[in-house]
């Protein structure tokens, strides 16, 4: 195998995972059990939401922190798994 084969396979895998995540988000409203998986997103304590007459601002700070911790843990476990 060439030295770029591993990188190519990694990028294909990441692209497939993003495509699956996008499909799940599109189907979240149509399939009952998928919608309940994502119902907590954007409704956590710490998510900032300001609504005025002609202005609305939303910043999902709490959701961002939870997703950051979850993804960090996932990548740590994956790196540990591949180092064995």
């Amino acid at each position: 195998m060439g030295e770029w084969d591993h990188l190519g396979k990694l990028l294909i895998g990441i692209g497939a995972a993003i495509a699956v995540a996008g499909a799940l988000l599109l189907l979240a409203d149509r399939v009952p059990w998928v919608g309940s998986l994502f119902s907590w997103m954007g409704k956590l304590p710490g998510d900032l939401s300001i609504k005025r007459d002609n202005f609305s601002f939303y910043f999902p700070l709490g959701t961002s922190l939870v997703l950051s911790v979850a993804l960090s843990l996932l990548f740590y476990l994956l790196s540990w798994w591949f180092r064995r």
Side-chain angles (χ1 to χ4, degrees), residues 2-75:
E3 61 185 66
W4 292 101
D5 288 346
H6 296 292
L7 181 62
K9 289 178 183 179
L10 177 69
L11 289 175
I12 289 172
I14 290 171
I18 290 173
V20 168
L24 283 176
L25 289 174
L26 286 174
L27 294 174
D29 291 336
R30 296 186 181 107
V31 179
W33 65 271
V34 176
S36 64
L37 287 175
F38 297 110
S39 64
W40 61 271
M41 292 183 74
K43 299 176 185 172
L44 293 177
D47 290 343
L48 303 175
S49 178
I50 299 171
K51 294 179 183 176
R52 309 274 180 185
D53 293 335
N54 294 326
F55 175 77
S56 71
F57 175 76
Y58 177 71
F59 185 72
L61 184 62
T63 302
S64 298
L65 290 173
V66 169
L67 288 176
S68 175
V69 169
L71 288 173
S72 295
L73 181 63
L74 174 71
F75 288 132

